[in-house]
Amino acid sequence: GHADNSGDAPLAPAQQRMWLVNRFDVAAETDGGDHIAFAVDLPRDTDLDALRGAFADVITRHETLRTIYPDSGDGPRQHLLDTVELDLTPVDAPADLDDRMTEFARRRYDLTSDAPLRAALYRTTDGFTLAVVLHHIAVDGLSLLPLGRDAATAYADRRAGETPDLAGSPVSFRDYARWHTAVLGDETDPRSLAATQLAHWKQTLAGAPPLLELPTDHPRSNITTGTTAQVAFTVPAEVHAAIDKLA
């Protein structure tokens, strides 16, 4: 199909879930559970004008980076903004830069009005540190490679005094969301694909426990913090082989 860039679009099902979670506690200052954050160290001779221009190029190319999700009488909608302005004025890095960037990464989005991309630039003794935060409603892990590639290409072109050739995509995520909504249909219609799939899983999962009681060494917390850690362990070869066979 061809891209339909006119008017607002519905949310894809996964976006509806994230939007609802985001709206649960609108007074909260931090969230972070659906945030994708990373930081990049940049050399002292970074061309900041080219960097700002490259971000503008990427935001122009990828509609999802300038989409907000306001509520309406028919539920949330994808609404496309003409542009999103990022403030990449460098500020001196504080002594607790890691903590400051963690706060920046966890700062809550209001998906009804905030674009899903934000960035901050810190001046360090060796150059700069660029912190970027994206909301999962607009990107996933696989999005980071093309995003980084486009940003690097646009930066190199602009630093060389050339206009980046980042053509818009022939199909947008709004097109996908429209298609997804049409395919699934209305779940209140028993003949729709959404209704038949829901019925299948309600029957298949009937009687399943709400929580798997696994033998863990720490009690399960009642509060989801989103905090992560790395744990190193070794799986014996025979266990790996048995898991592989079962899978």
Side-chain angles (χ1 to χ4, degrees):
H2 66 280
D4 176 9
N5 291 321
S6 60
D8 292 353
L11 274 61
Q15 289 184 313
Q16 293 176 2
R17 173 184 60 78
M18 284 181 272
W19 187 90
L20 191 61
V21 169
N22 179 256
R23 304 309 297 159
F24 265 138
D25 190 0
V26 295
E29 294 182 0
T30 61
D31 179 11
D34 280 323
H35 299 183
I36 298 173
F38 61 91
V40 182
D41 290 330
L42 302 174
R44 191 174 286 111
D45 66 347
T46 297
D47 185 331
L48 298 187
D49 287 337
L51 182 67
R52 295 186 189 97
F55 266 100
D57 295 328
V58 171
I59 290 170
T60 297
R61 183 183 194 195
H62 297 285
E63 289 186 355
T64 187
L65 297 179
R66 48 191 170 91
T67 299
I68 59 175
Y69 305 85
D71 203 357
S72 73
D74 297 323
R77 308 290 292 174
Q78 295 193 55
H79 177 72
L80 186 62
L81 301 173
D82 291 333
T83 186
V84 171
E85 297 291 341
L86 293 181
D87 183 5
L88 288 178
T89 304
V91 297
D92 291 337
D96 58 344
L97 178 58
D98 286 350
D99 291 341
R100 187 72 58 86
M101 288 195 295
T102 297
E103 293 173 5
F104 182 66
R106 291 181 59 84
R107 189 183 308 155
R108 191 180 176 279
Y109 283 94
D110 180 348
L111 294 180
T112 65
S113 58
D114 296 338
L117 164 67
R118 61 177 179 241
L121 189 63
Y122 302 95
R123 185 183 289 105
T124 64
T125 54
D126 298 322
F128 303 93
T129 295
L130 173 68
V132 178
V133 189
L134 300 143
H135 198 285
H136 189 23
I137 200 168
V139 301
D140 60 16
L142 291 176
S143 306
L144 299 183
L145 182 60
L147 180 64
R149 186 172 57 229
D150 285 353
T153 299
Y155 173 79
D157 287 348
R158 284 188 170 273
R159 183 156 191 172
E162 302 171 4
T163 301
D165 182 19
L166 293 179
S169 174
V171 178
S172 72
F173 191 82
R174 289 186 300 151
D175 296 314
Y176 169 78
R178 290 187 180 102
W179 169 83
H180 205 160
T181 301
V183 168
L184 287 176
D186 184 351
E187 65 183 58
T188 61
D189 176 2
R191 298 166 299 177
S192 70
L193 182 60
T196 55
Q197 290 193 352
L198 280 171
H200 166 80
W201 288 110
K202 283 180 179 178
Q203 180 180 351
T204 302
L205 298 175
L211 178 68
L212 290 177
E213 296 295 341
L214 298 174
T216 58
D217 59 346
H218 286 73
R220 182 184 178 93
S221 172
N222 290 324
I223 301 175
T224 301
T225 64
T227 303
T228 61
Q230 290 185 338
V231 179
F233 61 95
T234 302
V235 177
E238 61 273 14
V239 175
H240 175 270
I243 293 174
D244 192 49
K245 182 178 179 181
L246 177 63

